[in-house]
Structure formats: structure tokens, C-alpha cells
Amino acid sequence: MTTVYIADTGVFVRCGGPDKDKFQRLRRTLQQAGVSLRIPQRVYEELGGDPAAEGYPSGNIPYPDGFEEGWIIVADELDYANPLVSTVMDDARRVIANETDRDEDIIEKADTALVGLAAQVLDTGQADHVVLLTTDKPAGRAAKMLLPQYGFSDHIEFRYVSVEYLETITPDEFR
């Protein structure tokens, strides 16, 4: 079984801090397990990877090392022409808006991009299983609720990335 791990901006923000110990632990864990984190283009922009993207608070996180070392990979652009991808993203926006009692128009595109990327990876056969690593519980729950409706039951897992998770993460969780 092929598993793809998809991460959001919050994972890297939560890893940050003055000593960056959590970032280094995540790095070592993924390298020891021999896996990479895929991030949607929107997350790449939020991390400061796109100079046109304006001042995100995560711009000081040492993510460039992850790209150079290969344990962070920017995923292919989302294929909005694929009806599954666009529908899942629209549905995710509605679910997140309802769960957080916010207007759909203010739901961050990076949140729905996580769910869209999971759908795309599964739909194109790039993986049999997707694990979402996110600090965004509504987005994770949206993926767990929606993807089974499109034929991907038991193909999606959501792991909430708390500080405690990052402090105890081991390579075995990725094997």
C-alpha cells in the first residue's frame, strides 16, 4: 500500500519557536522513516515560498532545509478541472464554515486545498492511503467525512498535530 502524507502550514508553525526542537524532531523522524510530507501550493505560499504572497507569520520557519533535503515536497497544482477535486473543495469549504460558524467566503483556501489534494492523490492513483497532518481540526474532519462519500472509505486518516504529538513523534508512525 502506498501512503502519501500531506501537511498544512500549522504543522510548520507549531514546530517553530526559539529552539526549533520540534522541527528537528519532525525532520529526523521523517528522514528515518524514509517518507516525505507533501504540501499544497497554497501552503507553500503561506510558508513564504512565493515572493508574491504577502507577509505570513510562518515566513521565519526553517522549511527551506526540508525542500533541499527532500522531506518536504510541493505537490502538483490542484486540477480544478477534475470534478472530484473542485467538488470536494467546495464541500470542504461548506463543512468547515458550518463547523466554525463562519461565512464560506472567509474560509482559507489552504484549508480546502488540503482536502482537495487528498482527493486528487487518491483519484489519480498516486496513493492508496492519505494521512493528513494538520493543526486544523475542522479541515481534518471535513476530509474524514467527505472523501468516503466519493468512494475513498478507509483511505484517509487525519492526525491532529499538537505540541504533544510533535514531542513524541517516532518513525514507527510513518511505516
Side-chain angles (χ1 to χ4, degrees):
M1 174 166 61
T2 305
T3 301
V4 167
Y5 297 88
I6 299 173
D8 72 354
T9 306
V11 171
F12 301 100
V13 170
R14 195 145 287 163
C15 283
D19 55 17
K20 312 271 190 282
D21 284 345
K22 289 178 223 48
F23 183 89
Q24 294 306 323
R25 184 179 183 100
L26 177 65
R27 175 181 167 256
R28 278 190 308 277
T29 297
L30 293 170
Q31 288 176 326
Q32 289 171 2
V35 300
S36 299
L37 295 179
R38 285 195 201 178
I39 59 171
Q41 293 282 332
R42 293 274 183 187
V43 169
Y44 178 66
E45 292 168 9
E46 286 184 351
L47 290 173
D50 180 358
E54 295 186 21
Y56 287 98
S58 52
N60 63 348
I61 293 168
Y63 71 91
D65 294 344
F67 295 118
E68 292 168 18
E69 296 167 353
W71 59 272
I72 304 173
I73 299 170
V74 180
D76 295 336
E77 269 303 327
L78 289 172
D79 181 6
Y80 297 106
N82 178 332
L84 174 67
V85 172
S86 56
T87 301
V88 164
M89 289 179 70
D90 288 344
D91 290 348
R93 185 173 41 259
R94 278 189 283 286
V95 168
I96 294 167
N98 286 336
E99 186 169 323
T100 61
D101 199 27
R102 294 184 292 168
D103 189 273
E104 285 183 36
D105 295 335
I106 63 168
I107 301 303
E108 289 186 36
K109 292 182 173 142
D111 295 347
T112 60
L114 280 178
V115 184
L117 180 57
Q120 182 168 294
V121 164
L122 291 167
D123 187 51
T124 59
Q126 296 174 48
D128 307 304
H129 188 77
V130 170
V131 177
L132 287 182
L133 298 170
T134 179
T135 58
D136 188 323
K137 289 179 181 180
R141 286 192 289 262
K144 287 279 293 176
M145 181 179 83
L146 294 170
L147 290 171
Q149 295 175 17
Y150 295 96
F152 299 111
S153 294
D154 302 323
H155 295 271
I156 185 78
E157 182 181 337
F158 155 49
R159 293 185 192 166
Y160 177 67
V161 179
S162 64
V163 170
E164 294 79 22
Y165 177 83
L166 289 167
E167 290 173 344
T168 61
I169 195 169
T170 67
D172 291 339
E173 296 175 51
F174 295 92
R175 293 189 178 134

